[in-house]
Amino acid sequence: MHVISKYAIAAVAATAVACTVTGQPAFAQSSATFHGTSVAADNNPGSGSAGWVWVYGSAEYKATGGTIEYEKWDGSKDELSVGRKGSQSRDLNQKVKGFRACTNWYIDGYDLRTCGDWYYFA
């Protein structure tokens, strides 16, 4: 009979946990903010849907709201927009591949949209 010390068991358990964590996607949920617009995407929302997105519209001076632009794993792109200080979410039938936060503006008679960087899930 072999006797295994508690330190050896702890080392094996730590290795197993490290392998499990590194084998998973980097993040199930992520968020971003750009000029007062906050957005989030989740690939494990717990609602039974494959993915989920959320947006809160900017209240910055001359901002008219916000948008989350997102890409699904099949390559299709979509967006969800709200007005100033508005908030809305959407359940998706696919996981989110990438997303970015955009702020909508009305400046000198023109509707404009400026966007932050794209963020991608592993």
Side-chain angles (χ1 to χ4, degrees):
M1 181 168 125
H2 297 315
V3 176
I4 301 174
S5 75
K6 64 181 178 182
Y7 302 108
I9 293 171
V12 170
T15 302
V17 169
C19 292
T20 301
V21 171
T22 57
Q24 298 297 319
F27 298 100
Q29 180 181 20
S30 191
S31 60
T33 301
F34 183 77
H35 282 283
T37 296
S38 295
V39 300
D42 192 338
N43 282 332
N44 191 16
S47 63
S49 64
W52 172 86
V53 293
W54 169 83
V55 59
Y56 171 80
S58 177
E60 285 192 12
Y61 179 67
K62 294 194 177 186
T64 59
T67 300
I68 181 171
E69 294 180 352
Y70 58 94
E71 180 179 0
K72 296 185 267 185
W73 279 100
D74 70 356
S76 64
K77 292 184 179 180
D78 205 349
E79 62 184 48
L80 179 61
S81 296
V82 295
R84 184 180 179 88
K85 296 184 182 181
S87 176
Q88 189 170 353
S89 66
R90 177 182 290 163
D91 286 326
L92 305 174
N93 61 359
Q94 288 187 47
K95 293 191 180 298
V96 178
K97 181 177 180 180
F99 69 96
R100 69 179 177 172
C102 302
T103 299
N104 305 320
W105 310 89
Y106 186 76
I107 301 174
D108 297 331
Y110 295 96
D111 289 318
L112 305 170
R113 178 183 288 179
T114 57
C115 299
D117 293 334
W118 279 91
Y119 295 91
Y120 291 94
F121 289 95

